[in-house]
């Protein structure tokens, strides 16, 4: 078959897609806008190369960033080119490097059976190194050191490079990190091990020190394609450019407007400077969008044009104009969550499905109030790219303290917190305590209080009784009825020094501390709702409702919640972006740094272009976050969108409001036996509909059902309802919008 006849097979593609498929020789940059069919172009370009007989399947290398993307690419290639499609190298950077190093790693001192260290392995090695260097973990944590080493490897810096930089800057902290880096690499080498960063770096070093190996792979790979090129770092760029230096048939696909991983080391300059780096490169722009309405694309273009760091393109579509974008002003974060829940229920009642809906936000902590609203409304949901707020380790730890205070016989929760923060109470000691308690038929707490009475616990007795004394102080404070739940929570935070533990010993310590503070927002809102009934046991019962959610399987009919970063590459008919406020999105840190603000514009562009049919942008007049109330202006991203594309709903936004952070919870010293402690909580104005067990009800989404139980909880009522079509749901009366029939 001649070339022109082969080209007829691709007539269904648009003009620019065809150009990308047919351009086979020399460096090529495909700027693929959101929803423009880039995977289709990659698959068809590979098929075209093979159909034209330009190379053998095993001479094509297609690199992706995830195993899922690699599998999808290879599966689609095999469907399009059944004969030989399996022989194409379609894999992630790490998979390709592993394959090369397993074969030639001996040339740089590794045998074919080298071990790949995961995060836990790395942490153990680094902890031992820092201990041997007499470095205090609280001053310089092992996670901080490992993070600095990873950044250095991304930039192809050796331990000597890092040490020289540190000496030049007279920074003792950096000198310590550089020396730890050197010891770390020596330890890995002696163990015949690599971490994930090493796999890329060592492959580049193999190529640099063994030109015959590089030449072999240069001769093998006649055509190289790299997806998501805007997310590559320096070492990945070096790897690709070395492989493609001979054939120069390098095709990279990416979108500079979707470069949002700078915090992971991604270098947007790789895509911005492609034509300068690879002489004679051709650039093809895929600007026709097959995903979104004209209105949504117009809004995306309005926002991204304000990014000063881009090559430039304008998405367009032949799709319908579609509905206007709703810009909704909520009074606070709970009103925001209720608006989302109400809108989702209305959408499903009109014939849509829960699976059509995505709720996006800038920070994981924002999911808290939204989860509450969805749960209370009985809306099934799942979180992608993160844990449910109440399932996060640090939140579960703090709740475990409160649960043990409420019920000291809760051995499961006590075991969780007995050594958090570290109290030098080892696992063997905990096992002995559990064994004695089981033998005596007592709780672990009872045994711990009398640890000195048991010979097996003599060595750890002082540590165990100190822990028990602290818990008894908390319990006495709780029983005294002079402390609010929020004050009790403050007390636990202060006397356990839990935040210092997170900062010193946990990855993403600052983010975890934010989650611990965000739990205070839950408690304060609970106290406002429940008034005089806001007891510790009632709060824990409320929390139990939040954790008892239907199990969500992959592909289940449920709302998807995720950060904007996690949403990249996905699409949904209906999308909410919550927290559209200055200081939230864009983040407060980015406002004063041009490069960071450009990336925030790209992140907004990514979020907007996830929507296919309908988009909601929501901002709150006030927002309680991390235990403090803030009043922020509407996000500049909303103001950048032309009014003709917007419909505004909700409260009127006050003008000239500036960002503030006023703490609503003042710290109080621990004094379990103090008197005259005033406990106040504003009365709730929420109206509770009157429902009773046995009532037949109609819910506009779940249909007809019968109330099995109705339990009064403060100003609300928790209902267990058996629906004829969807089974049993637990709903809060004030949220469920049901009618008796």
């Amino acid at each position: 078959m001649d070339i022109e006849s082969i080209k007829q097979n691709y007539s269904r593609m648009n003009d620019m897609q065809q150009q990308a498929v047919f351009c086979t020789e020399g460096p090529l940059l495909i700027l693929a806008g959101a929803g423009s069919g880039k995977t289709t172009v990659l698959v068809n370009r590979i098929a075209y190369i093979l159909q034209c007989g330009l190379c053998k399947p095993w001479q094509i290398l297609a690199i992706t960033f995830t195993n899922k993307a690699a599998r999808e690419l290879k599966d689609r290639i095999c469907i399009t080119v059944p004969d030989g499609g399996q022989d194409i190298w379609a894999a992630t950077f790490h998979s390709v490097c592993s394959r090369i190093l397993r074969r030639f790693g001996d040339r740089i001192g590794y045998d074919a059976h080298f071990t790949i260290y995961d995060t836990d392995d790395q942490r153990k090695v680094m902890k031992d190194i820092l201990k041997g260097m007499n470095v205090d973990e609280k001053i310089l944590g092992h996670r901080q050191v490992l993070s600095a080493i990873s950044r250095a490897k991304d930039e192809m810096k050796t331990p000597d490079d890092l040490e020289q930089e540190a000496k030049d800057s007279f920074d003792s902290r950096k000198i310590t990190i550089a020396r730890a880096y050197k010891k770390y690499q020596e330890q890995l080498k002696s163990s015949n091990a690599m971490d994930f960063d090493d796999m890329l770096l060592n492959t580049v070093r193999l190529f640099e020190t063994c030109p015959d190996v590089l030449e072999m792979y240069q001769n093998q790979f006649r055509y190289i394609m790299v997806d998501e090129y805007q997310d590559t770092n320096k070492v990945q760029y070096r790897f690709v450019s070395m492989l493609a230096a001979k054939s120069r048939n390098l095709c990279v696909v990416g979108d500079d407007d979707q470069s949002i991983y700078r915090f992971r080391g991604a270098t947007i300059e790789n895509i911005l400077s492609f034509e300068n780096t690879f002489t004679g490169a051709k650039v093809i722009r895929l600007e026709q969008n097959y995903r979104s309405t004209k209105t949504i694309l117009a809004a995306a273009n309005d926002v991204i044009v304000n990014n000063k760091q881009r090559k430039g393109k304008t998405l367009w579509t032949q799709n319908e104009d579609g509905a206007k974008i709703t810009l909704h002003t909520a009074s606070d974060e709970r009103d925001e969550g209720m608006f989302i829940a109400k809108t989702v229920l209305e959408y499903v009642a009109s014939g849509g499905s829960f699976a059509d809906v995505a709720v996006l936000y800038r920070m994981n902590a924002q999911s808290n109030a939204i989860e509450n609203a969805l749960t209370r409304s009985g809306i099934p949901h799942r979180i992608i790219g993160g844990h449910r707020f109440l399932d996060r380790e640090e939140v579960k730890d703090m709740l475990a303290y409160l649960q043990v205070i409420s019920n000291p016989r809760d051995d499961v929760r006590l075991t969780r917190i007995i050594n958090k923060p570290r109290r030098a109470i080892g696992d063997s000691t905990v096992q002995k305590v559990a064994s004695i308690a089981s033998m005596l038929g007592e709780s672990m707490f009872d045994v711990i209080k009398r640890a000195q009475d048991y010979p097996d616990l003599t060595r750890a007795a002082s540590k165990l009784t100190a822990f028990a004394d602290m818990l008894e102080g908390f319990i006495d404070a709780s029983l005294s009825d002079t402390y609010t739940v929020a004050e009790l929570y403050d007390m636990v935070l202060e006397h356990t020094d839990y935040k210092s533990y997170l900062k010193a010993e946990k990855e993403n310590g600052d983010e975890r501390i934010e989650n611990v503070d965000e739990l205070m927002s839950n408690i304060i809102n609970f106290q406002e709702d429940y008034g005089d009934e806001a007891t510790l046991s009632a709060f824990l019962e409320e929390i139990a409702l939040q954790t008892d959610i239907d199990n969500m399987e992959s592909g289940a009919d449920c709302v998807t919640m995720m950060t904007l970063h996690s949403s990249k590459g996905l699409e949904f008919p209906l999308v909410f972006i919550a927290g559209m406020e200055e200081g939230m999105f864009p983040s407060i840190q980015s406002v004063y740094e041009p490069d960071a603000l450009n990336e925030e514009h790209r992140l907004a562009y990514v979020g907007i272009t996830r929507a296919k049919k309908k988009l909601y942008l929501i901002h709150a007049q006030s927002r309680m976050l991390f235990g403090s109330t803030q009043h922020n202006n509407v996000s500049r991203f909303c103001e950048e969108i032309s009014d003709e594309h917007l419909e505004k709903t909700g409260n009127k936004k006050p003008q000239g409001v500036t960002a503030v952070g006023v703490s609503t919870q003042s710290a109080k010293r621990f004094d379990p036996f103090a008197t005259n402690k005033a406990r106040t909580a504003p009365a709730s104005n929420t109206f509770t509909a009157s429902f009773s067990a046995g009532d037949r009800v109609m819910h506009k989404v779940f249909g007809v059902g019968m109330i099995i139980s109705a339990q009064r909880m403060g100003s609300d009522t928790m209902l267990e309802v058996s629906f004829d079509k969807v089974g049993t749901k637990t709903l809060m009366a004030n949220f469920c919008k049901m009618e008796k029939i």
Side-chain angles (χ1 to χ4, degrees), residues 29 229 256 267-276 309-311 602:
L29 168 60
Y229 190 67
D256 54 316
T267 307
I268 193 174
E269 287 76 16
N270 287 351
I271 195 167
L272 293 177
S273 63
F274 186 83
E275 301 102 305
N276 297 328
Q309 200 177 38
R310 64 191 296 254
K311 299 183 79 68
R602 296 193 290 269

Side-chain angles (χ1 to χ4, degrees), residues 175-192:
I175 291 172
T176 302
I177 291 172
R179 290 173 180 167
Y181 180 12
K182 187 171 186 177
K183 291 179 181 292
Y184 175 74
Q185 291 306 115
E186 290 171 351
Q187 177 67 51
L188 263 61
K189 190 70 174 289
S190 67
S191 303
N192 191 37

Side-chain angles (χ1 to χ4, degrees), residues 399-408 445 469-492 526-527 532 534-540 669-674 677 679:
L399 287 174
Y401 271 103
L402 296 179
Q403 286 155 336
V404 171
I405 292 168
S406 178
N407 176 21
F445 184 63
D469 289 344
M470 180 182 68
L471 283 182
E472 284 195 302
F474 296 154
I475 292 167
D476 290 343
S478 175
L479 295 175
S480 70
D481 201 33
T482 57
Y483 292 84
T484 66
V485 181
E487 288 168 347
L488 187 63
Y489 183 72
D490 257 346
M491 196 183 295
V492 173
F526 161 78
Q527 290 179 169
D532 291 337
T535 63
L536 177 59
S537 59
F539 173 69
L540 294 174
R669 297 299 298 171
F670 176 44
D671 184 7
F673 306 101
K677 296 274 187 179
R679 188 182 71 166

Side-chain angles (χ1 to χ4, degrees), residues 115-130:
T115 301
I116 301 172
Y117 275 2
D118 63 16
T119 303
D120 288 339
D121 297 324
Q122 292 176 265
R123 290 172 181 168
K124 185 178 188 309
V125 172
M126 186 51 67
K127 280 183 179 179
D128 291 342
I129 288 170
L130 294 177

Side-chain angles (χ1 to χ4, degrees), residues 81-274:
V81 188
D83 186 17
Q86 279 292 344
D87 296 328
I88 291 163
W89 281 48
T92 63
F93 275 103
H94 288 108
S95 296
V96 173
C97 290
S98 176
R99 193 166 170 181
I100 293 171
L101 290 169
R102 295 291 179 195
R103 184 173 179 184
F104 292 106
D106 61 316
R107 304 282 288 273
I108 55 171
Y110 294 85
D111 69 34
H113 303 288
F114 65 82
T115 301
I116 301 172
Y117 275 2
D118 63 16
T119 303
D120 288 339
D121 297 324
Q122 292 176 265
R123 290 172 181 168
K124 185 178 188 309
V125 172
M126 186 51 67
K127 280 183 179 179
D128 291 342
I129 288 170
L130 294 177
K131 186 177 180 181
M133 294 173 64
N134 295 317
V135 176
D136 188 337
E137 179 82 24
K138 292 182 179 178
I139 296 175
L140 182 60
H142 66 279
R143 285 177 174 79
Q144 295 167 278
V145 178
L146 287 170
S147 179
I149 290 172
S150 181
R151 286 195 300 272
K153 290 181 178 180
D154 283 349
E155 297 174 0
M156 297 184 290
K157 293 178 181 176
T158 65
D160 289 341
D161 294 334
L162 212 61
E163 186 166 20
Q164 188 58 54
E165 286 182 8
K167 287 178 178 177
D168 291 344
S169 65
F170 302 100
D171 189 326
S172 60
R173 185 184 183 88
K174 288 183 179 178
I175 291 172
T176 302
I177 291 172
R179 290 173 180 167
Y181 180 12
K182 187 171 186 177
K183 291 179 181 292
Y184 175 74
Q185 291 306 115
E186 290 171 351
Q187 177 67 51
L188 263 61
K189 190 70 174 289
S190 67
S191 303
N192 191 37
M194 301 182 200
D195 61 25
F196 283 102
D197 293 320
D198 282 329
M199 295 174 73
L200 284 157
L201 196 55
N202 283 337
T203 305
V204 169
R205 287 176 179 160
L206 171 66
F207 288 167
E208 289 173 339
T209 57
C210 305
D212 59 316
V213 175
L214 173 60
E215 185 178 17
M216 190 199 88
Y217 283 106
Q218 286 176 336
N219 290 335
Q220 175 177 337
F221 297 127
R222 296 282 307 282
Y223 293 92
I224 300 171
M225 283 162 252
V226 183
D227 194 12
E228 303 287 4
Y229 190 67
Q230 77 279 351
D231 295 332
T232 54
N233 58 28
K234 290 182 179 179
V235 68
Q236 289 164 337
Y237 158 76
R238 177 70 175 151
F239 170 73
V240 168
S241 60
M242 291 177 81
L243 277 181
K246 191 168 186 178
S247 72
R248 300 192 73 247
N249 292 331
L250 172 64
C251 169
V252 302
V253 184
D255 184 0
D256 54 316
D257 289 335
Q258 295 188 70
S259 179
I260 58 173
Y261 295 122
R262 190 171 69 131
F263 66 96
R264 294 182 188 168
T267 307
I268 193 174
E269 287 76 16
N270 287 351
I271 195 167
L272 293 177
S273 63
F274 186 83

Side-chain angles (χ1 to χ4, degrees), residues 381-444:
H381 57 280
R382 61 183 175 187
I383 291 187
I384 304 297
H387 300 294
R388 291 178 60 256
F389 178 78
L390 295 173
D391 286 342
R392 290 167 188 147
E393 178 187 3
E394 58 277 6
V395 175
K396 289 176 74 72
D397 287 348
M398 295 314 301
L399 287 174
Y401 271 103
L402 296 179
Q403 286 155 336
V404 171
I405 292 168
S406 178
N407 176 21
R409 295 189 62 83
D410 191 338
D411 288 350
V412 172
R413 270 57 180 261
L414 185 139
T415 301
R416 181 182 183 93
I417 61 173
I418 193 169
N419 207 34
K420 285 188 177 181
R422 297 186 188 280
R423 301 183 175 92
I425 301 173
D427 290 343
S428 61
T429 299
V430 175
Q431 289 170 5
K432 289 175 184 176
V433 170
S435 177
I436 294 169
S438 177
M439 182 178 63
L440 297 176
E442 295 182 349
S443 71
M444 290 178 66

Side-chain angles (χ1 to χ4, degrees), residues 283-309:
V283 179
I284 295 175
R285 288 172 167 79
L286 303 183
E287 297 175 303
Q288 183 174 358
N289 175 282
Y290 294 91
R291 176 189 298 158
S292 306
T293 64
K294 286 186 173 74
T295 299
I296 290 170
L297 286 191
N301 288 329
D302 284 347
V303 170
I304 199 61
V305 75
N306 294 281
N307 168 24
K308 310 302 181 187
Q309 200 177 38

